[in-house]
Amino acid sequence: MPRSTNHPAALAAVLAIPLAAIAFPAFADNAPSGTLSGSVAVTNDYLFRGISQTNRHPAVQAGVEYDRDSGWYVGAWGSNISWLSDGSTPAQPVSSSVELDAYAGWRGNLGSDWHVDAGLYEYYYPGSYPHGYTRPYTLEGYAALGWKTLTLKYSQTFGNLFGIADSAHSGYVDLTWSQPFAPGWQFDAHVGHQDVAHDGAASYSDWKLDVARTFAHGCTLTLGWYGTNARRQVYSNIAGRYLGRGTWVLSLAKAF
């Protein structure tokens, strides 16, 4: 989550070996079989919870996930970012320009209409930071409950939220509706709220509407409108660019 110089922070991703170590014991040789999947994507702007992570510039992203038939899964995801290096100064140089994620959890169905999902998600930003800089690394736990095409999800940090000091146990709640409406077409609507513990000025809500078209060979083109009510004085970078404004996002992804 790019922030002003008064609130140095961000929301992005991680590669966390400890999470993989937690998840893989469930994948013993006598466990049910699993599948490996992944994707690569390009987008004109990487938004996370409505806030630009790339200063309104394009991003290249990739992820991979291993799923067991029992419902357990583990995955990793990454993207270029700029919100950290955009805030670099000669007095406090920051070099991080990549985000890596790791996550593990369990998902399953409760009858024909209900589904659940719960796990851990870690965000990590490799790079160099000045002495005394609050590291942006963030670990969240999440739980989601879905009914048909409607899903309610809550995430909460165990430590600080993306480099914001004294922000442990910050939470994010979001409601998403995903509805296919024609062969190969899907409509998504989302609204969420980020609560930043002990920092009411940094809390905000976000929303989006998008349409996705899936083509042959696992290609998906998505166009969406994203917006927030994030405070301009908090969510502007060091150059004065407001990163929470409403914007169109176009992305192309290829699944494999």
Side-chain angles (χ1 to χ4, degrees), residues 8 37 43 125 160 243:
S37 61
T43 180
Y125 308 87
N160 287 331
L243 301 171

Side-chain angles (χ1 to χ4, degrees), residues 5 8 91-94 128-136 160 163-166:
T5 54
Q92 286 195 313
V94 178
S128 61
Y129 301 91
H131 178 72
Y133 192 94
T134 303
R135 297 297 192 268
N160 287 331
I164 305 175
D166 192 30

Side-chain angles (χ1 to χ4, degrees), residues 8-29:
L11 300 173
V14 124
L15 182 64
I17 299 303
L19 281 183
I22 293 171
F24 278 122
F27 306 148
D29 291 339

